Amino acid sequence: MSSFKLGVEVVGAHDLIGKDGQGSSNPFVELHFDDQRFRTTVKENDLNPVWNEGFYFNVSDPNNLIKLPLEAYVYSLNKSNSSKTCLGKVCLSGTSFVPYSDAVVLHYPLEKRTVFSRAKGELGLKVFLTDDPSIKPSNPLPVMESFLDSDLGSGYAQVPNSVPVSQKTDTRHTFHSIPNANHSQQKQNFTPKPPQQQQMNYGAHEMKSEPQGAKVVNMFSGSSSQPSDFALKETSPFLGGGQIVGGRVIRGGKPTSTYDLVEQMRYLFVRVVKARDLPGKDLMTGSLDPFVEVKVGNYKGRTKHFEMNKSPEWNEVFAFAKETQQSSVLEVILKDKDLIGDDFVGIVRFVLHEVPVRVPSDSPLAPEWYRLEDKKGEKKKGELMLAVWYGTQADEAFPEAWHSDAFAPGDSTSASSSYIRSKVYLSPRLWYVRVNVIEAQDLVPSDKNRFPDACVKAQIGNQTYKTKSVQHRNLNPIWKEEFMFVASEPFEDDLIFSVEDRVGPNKDETLGMVVVPLNSVERRVDDRVIRTRWFSLEKSISDAMDGDRAKKDKFHSRLHVSVCLDGGYHVLDESTQYSSDLRPTAKQLWKSSIGVLELGILNADGLQPMKTREGRGTSDTYCVAKYGQKWVRTRTIVNSLNPKYNEQYTWEVHDPATVLTVGVFDNSQIGGSDGNKDRTIGKVRIRISTLESGCVYTHSYPLLVLQNSGVKKMGELHLAIRFSSTSLLSMMLQYSKPLLPKMHYKRPLSVIQQDVLRYQAVNIVVARLGRAEPPLKREVIEYMSDATAHMWSMRRSKANFLRLQSVFSGLVAVGKWFGEVCKWKKPITTVLVHVLFVMLVCFPELILPTVFLYMFLIGVWRYRLRPRYPPHMDTSLSCADVVSPDELDEEFETFPARKNSDLVRLRYDRLRSVAGKIQSVVGDIASQGERIQALLSWRDPRATTIFLIFCLAAAIVMYVTPFQVFALLAGFYFMRHPKFRHKTPAAPLNFFRRLPAMTDSML
């Protein structure tokens, strides 16, 4: 049986419903999980009960944990008839269960048990996972029920001995198995070690496919004004599930598999396991330095070699693409490594048409021993253990295999072989660290004759913040400043405080230091107040990190701070417009997924060469896809401008308002590259909310890149995408929930804070993923995360202005149409508008229904014009097709600028000109608002007097005149015939324009 257990601490409840007829209740909690039930004690006549009781559930199958909900029912006991009434329930999904180190007390609102029941109040629970085998599960509920039934007269006032609760202390229970808040002051009989995070399969496995021939049909969807070469094209390829036509899968005659979003590719797999009884070549030792060379036609792969070993074990796999095979014989050659030339030892040959075909989900093919032969085919001493079979990219050996399409023909070795394999990466779990520096006490400056000019520097890794310097006339300075850091699990860097004294210009002296391990910092998921702590200042970091202070001085200066890990935020490491994950850091706040996103990366066509090899342009490309915490990287296809990847990946979707990003890069680790940076070829963004559930989208996406010479198409990327919703109702409910976690609204971060923290978060992700093998490089992560999207450019400013103009174009069009109505350019239309206006004024209750019905009809009419493909990069919308070369050069300029002073001065003058126009527009808008305020401010006494007289007269007239009459007269006045109009503006408009604004008081 699994040692995994689910620990639940029932802390208390408050604001419950009274059910005993006297406004009170006798509440108790019943817990249900994995066919196990436990029950707390009963609290008599208490609407705010406190239990502090803990229970442990057995977890029968940890891999199925996501499907096991925890249900907590709050009941009220009726002692007269021993019945119970439900006061509410709480249901927690398996995705919210966290290790003990992450667990905090959360107060969950009680939900109704049925539609007709009532529920009010909150229930406080602390839920966590542990794999400590020494912790015993609690007794099952039937034993407790018998106890409770026999003790109804006492109102369940006692707890059976099986419940893991120790003796009472001041009406509170102390747990031997669950640490409590006063753990440092109270001795416990047992405290479990913080359990390690167990990796669980919360997502679907990668899909498998069947081989089909590819057929692409280009269908230009010309709803954009950009050139057709830059537009999206729909394709109809034959994939593993069948042909895709218009988003539907046309099933073929062959049975389909789950790996159905890519074209199946046949590979010849050769597993070289080990060798035995090899003949000795070295006269001194009788041994050799063996390695194996696997050869099919012009393609050959090579294992590593062992020195002085006659029984080597390699266990390496080689994959040869079937479509590139130019031979009917597979040769597995055993050689002896030599400085001058490798010596032949023996060979094993296979006829390819006799190699068996393995179809997943069959078990792996068992390797066999084969006798070595010489070049003439005669048996020799020694054997090789091999396994040879035909399979597809769905084979479990595919990701770690040596691939023939990763090397040029005839090349068997590469120093960068680890950089060409497909890999899956996980972003580190990021936390916001909130630090509040309050005060210091009893500082000891080096100069006893002066008071310190003190400040505090807080540092985590390369993130540093410093308080303002304060000079009090005492040794107890007060700061009360708050900072925010970003940290990642596991916490490798400590929080370091250093109190510094400004003793001279640009000269600081350290008065003391404090080291706070982040593992010991309190975690929270809401905005509750965190208790402050006093730390003793030490003279050095080594002293601060040393926990044994028995031999140190008893007197210490102290620092008063408040530190917590804020798990209620989502740590923004991407641009908010393109975010792929919006969940908070704390896992117990995560909700169940609403669907599954499947991505098939098929192939790329017409790529631009990134390097020169053997006198011709070529590229060594790979793709990176990012969604949520999961990054995927395809294998690198070497020496090809039309690479075929055909790899499929799966993600869980928790919010439809998220974006999948797929980028294409050139691998700089392959020979012939210039520099050490992977060059960007282009990327694709796909918003999940634009995908219909169950539809397969197969399109060719142009890879557009903005360069110094302008926008350029680098090729096309073929993708197959499918979003499958697990619950339509849950997905619809997501549209009514806040986009970001609750803490972003209860305690929001400023825009400057968000930008700084996002920069730090990206650096942490870069550092962590850069330590993987193969690493994801900085330029890849920054390009995928749009780390430089906040930088100013003239092109983006124009594009945003045009976007704003397009948003208000509808209102402008309505205004122009109404102006034509008022000018009687189309008399029939004007008369119909008058009739509609009279009807709505006489029957005002029809106004809102008419508006909503009109919008409904417009939406239905536009349904047939709805986009049939995900939106893609639009060069016209981005103003990339009209940007000038100088503006492009300015956009790609580094920060700070490195151009000559004359060019920088020219650009600065241009920027001042543009900013001056923006300044004028903003000033005009402000002036209109200030004129409205001036109506009653008496800045212009005569204007205010006129306005007050008008208000009094209007109040009297409107009091005695029905509103319909006033509305009709006003409407007829605005729509009067041009014969009754004057060329000059109306009197009210003239009066408004004469009102004063605050511009008179500006310098």
Side-chain angles (χ1 to χ4, degrees), residues 409-425:
D411 183 17
S412 61
T413 60
S414 175
S416 306
S417 60
S418 61
Y419 289 85
I420 62 176
R421 294 192 174 103
S422 58
K423 291 293 180 181
V424 175
Y425 307 83

Side-chain angles (χ1 to χ4, degrees), residues 284-339:
M284 299 293 295
T285 62
S287 184
L288 71 164
D289 303 333
F291 70 92
V292 173
E293 186 177 276
V294 184
K295 183 178 180 181
V296 179
N298 292 331
Y299 294 91
K300 57 183 178 180
R302 179 181 295 178
T303 67
K304 60 185 177 182
H305 76 277
F306 290 91
E307 295 184 0
M308 314 296 282
N309 194 330
K310 298 178 64 174
S311 299
E313 292 188 12
W314 296 281
N315 199 24
E316 296 184 25
V317 181
F318 300 85
F320 297 88
K322 189 175 181 180
E323 61 183 13
T324 61
Q325 291 177 7
Q326 301 174 350
S327 175
S328 59
V329 178
L330 164 68
E331 297 179 343
V332 182
I333 308 170
L334 181 67
K335 293 186 176 182
D336 178 26
K337 183 71 173 178
D338 202 344
L339 293 176

Side-chain angles (χ1 to χ4, degrees), residues 46-117:
D46 194 351
L47 296 181
N48 299 284
V50 176
W51 287 283
N52 283 326
E53 299 180 17
F55 306 91
Y56 282 99
F57 295 87
N58 273 324
V59 180
S60 58
D61 184 6
N63 293 326
N64 199 36
L65 184 62
I66 188 175
K67 301 179 181 178
L68 300 177
L70 170 66
E71 296 176 332
Y73 295 90
V74 182
Y75 292 103
S76 175
L77 176 67
N78 189 341
K79 294 187 290 184
S80 60
N81 55 9
S82 300
S83 63
K84 60 183 182 181
T85 304
C86 185
L87 304 181
K89 71 171 183 177
V90 172
C91 184
L92 304 180
S93 64
T95 57
S96 64
F97 300 156
V98 297
Y100 172 75
S101 59
D102 292 342
V104 294
V105 177
L106 288 176
H107 292 274
Y108 300 93
L110 294 176
E111 303 174 356
K112 297 179 180 180
R113 185 175 184 179
T114 62
V115 178
F116 303 102
S117 61

Side-chain angles (χ1 to χ4, degrees), residues 801-950:
F801 176 78
L802 294 177
R803 288 172 56 202
L804 192 64
Q805 188 177 12
S806 176
V807 167
F808 289 102
S809 62
L811 296 177
V812 174
V814 171
K816 290 181 179 180
W817 171 82
F818 186 71
E820 293 178 355
V821 169
C822 296
K823 294 179 180 178
W824 290 74
K825 289 188 175 182
K826 297 180 179 179
I828 297 178
T829 303
T830 304
V831 171
L832 292 177
V833 171
H834 277 76
V835 173
L836 178 62
F837 174 71
V838 172
M839 184 181 65
L840 294 179
V841 170
C842 295
F843 304 96
E845 63 274 8
L846 297 179
I847 296 177
L848 289 180
T850 302
V851 172
F852 286 114
L853 180 62
Y854 178 71
M855 289 191 292
F856 170 77
L857 293 176
I858 291 178
V860 172
W861 175 258
R862 292 182 177 178
Y863 176 77
R864 62 187 180 88
L865 303 175
R866 70 190 186 279
R868 303 301 179 96
Y869 52 85
H872 187 51
M873 313 291 185
D874 193 326
T875 55
S876 299
L877 180 66
S878 307
C879 292
D881 51 351
V882 295
V883 63
S884 66
D886 183 59
E887 292 174 354
L888 283 174
D889 185 62
E890 181 182 17
E891 183 170 347
F892 285 96
E893 173 64 294
T894 58
F895 186 86
R898 296 181 179 178
K899 298 291 184 180
N900 62 73
S901 57
D902 293 336
L903 183 57
V904 173
R905 184 181 297 108
L906 175 64
R907 292 174 177 174
Y908 174 66
D909 292 339
R910 182 177 61 191
L911 179 60
R912 288 179 61 190
S913 175
V914 174
K917 297 176 182 178
I918 298 175
Q919 171 184 293
S920 300
V921 173
V922 174
D924 291 342
I925 296 174
S927 296
Q928 309 309 317
E930 291 168 352
R931 288 192 176 108
I932 296 176
Q933 294 177 342
L935 289 172
L936 297 174
S937 66
W938 292 92
R939 291 195 67 206
D940 185 339
R942 286 169 291 277
T944 304
T945 302
I946 294 173
F947 180 69
L948 293 180
I949 295 174
F950 168 77

Side-chain angles (χ1 to χ4, degrees), residues 350-365:
F350 295 87
V351 180
L352 293 184
H353 70 267
E354 296 180 357
V355 172
V357 177
R358 175 179 175 265
V359 180
S361 56
D362 289 349
S363 298
L365 191 66

Side-chain angles (χ1 to χ4, degrees), residues 103-174:
V104 294
V105 177
L106 288 176
H107 292 274
Y108 300 93
L110 294 176
E111 303 174 356
K112 297 179 180 180
R113 185 175 184 179
T114 62
V115 178
F116 303 102
S117 61
R118 295 178 57 202
K120 189 181 73 168
E122 295 181 340
L123 177 64
L125 298 175
K126 184 177 183 180
V127 184
F128 56 90
L129 290 169
T130 179
D131 59 353
D132 193 337
S134 62
I135 298 179
K136 303 300 179 184
S138 306
N139 279 359
L141 187 56
V143 178
M144 301 174 65
E145 283 181 335
S146 62
F147 176 85
L148 295 173
D149 293 340
S150 64
D151 199 28
L152 285 174
S154 63
Y156 300 87
Q158 302 294 327
V159 183
N161 295 330
S162 59
V163 180
V165 183
S166 67
Q167 291 115 3
K168 291 184 177 180
T169 304
D170 298 332
T171 70
R172 290 177 61 86
H173 293 87
T174 304

